[in-house]
Amino acid sequence: MSVFSSSVRTAAIVARLRAAGCVFAEDEAELLLSTASTPADLDAMVARRVAGEPLEHVLGWAEFCGLRVYVEPGVFVPRPRTAFLIEAAVALAREVEGTPVVLDMCCGTGAMGAAVAAGLPRAELHAADLDPAAVRCARRNLAGSAAVYEGDLYDPLPLTLRGRVDLLIASPPYVPSESVGLLPPEARLHEPLLALDGGADGLDVVRRVIAGAPTWLAPGGRLLVETSERQAEATAESVRAAGLAAQVAISDDLDATAVIGTRHRDG
């Protein structure tokens, strides 16, 4: 807790946060107090949070897989459930002989890539996203550990990656368009629509990621796509239609679902 904090100030902040609907007001107050550099900075941060801005945007960082990831206002905040995808990816990458080549597609802040790099320091890591603000965050979070490309899915990737990717991880937007309005205000008002809206059934971008994957995967390479449990079978069908073997993995603890596609070793 910072030197300018006091029990009275802390109690006042907790009261303001609780009145604004923050369920974990005490924890948030502690984070705001420890992050702010001056009393004026603290007051401004509390005001932003009370106004409904995501805590991570206010702090300037999000915790993901034990890492502190830089997050700018207006950028998609990495979700705790995505840790399930990372755990699966790291476990599969350890089966690769030599240096695993990993591609973080729809990388957002680069949180997934950073977590993979932490678990696989020997990996060759690449990341890509369409949103310039997200790419800016990713380049900061992945500085020195990955090449980050800006563009639509596979378009900006170097041709030298074709057929070399051992692990392709992706958390594309998968919220159906009609459900975006039902998301919490922190998401629908403060995160980019392109990171949330997956089209009529939520799978427009997911299908495009899957369709392009076989060209970039190495023989035996894996595609791991985050989706919802309700969309898992349709996602798996798209994986099979792309010529990959498909399996669905679910974590009840994290309320997370991933579909894993494997390219046959004979190509």
Side-chain angles (χ1 to χ4, degrees), residues 28 31-32 35-36 41-42 44-63 68-79 108-109 131 133-134 136-137 140-141 184-193 195-196:
E28 292 195 11
L31 288 169
L32 291 167
T35 302
D41 186 30
L42 175 62
M45 292 173 71
V46 172
R48 290 171 60 193
R49 181 62 182 133
V50 167
E53 194 169 342
L55 177 65
E56 295 82 0
H57 288 171
V58 175
L59 296 174
W61 55 269
E63 184 175 344
R68 183 172 288 196
V69 179
Y70 172 71
V71 179
E72 287 186 9
V75 173
F76 182 81
V77 176
R79 307 298 200 249
T109 61
D131 181 13
R136 190 163 55 244
C137 288
R140 177 167 173 173
N141 288 318
E186 291 180 346
R188 59 183 167 81
L189 298 179
H190 296 280
E191 294 181 323
L193 187 62
L196 302 170

Side-chain angles (χ1 to χ4, degrees), residues 93-101 120 122-124 166:
R94 286 176 177 154
E95 300 175 3
V96 177
E97 295 183 7
T99 300
V101 178
L120 295 168
R122 64 188 180 91
E124 177 188 333
D166 297 300

Side-chain angles (χ1 to χ4, degrees), residues 98-160:
T99 300
V101 178
V102 181
L103 172 59
D104 180 0
M105 180 58 64
C106 304
C107 69
T109 61
M112 293 197 305
V116 168
L120 295 168
R122 64 188 180 91
E124 177 188 333
L125 181 62
H126 301 262
D129 200 282
L130 179 62
D131 181 13
V135 169
R136 190 163 55 244
C137 288
R139 285 178 174 156
R140 177 167 173 173
N141 288 318
L142 297 173
S145 62
V148 182
Y149 312 99
E150 181 181 335
D152 185 24
L153 297 184
Y154 301 98
D155 289 351
L157 300 181
L159 296 181
T160 51

Side-chain angles (χ1 to χ4, degrees), residues 177-190:
S177 297
E178 65 178 12
S179 299
V180 171
L182 303 177
L183 292 173
E186 291 180 346
R188 59 183 167 81
L189 298 179
H190 296 280

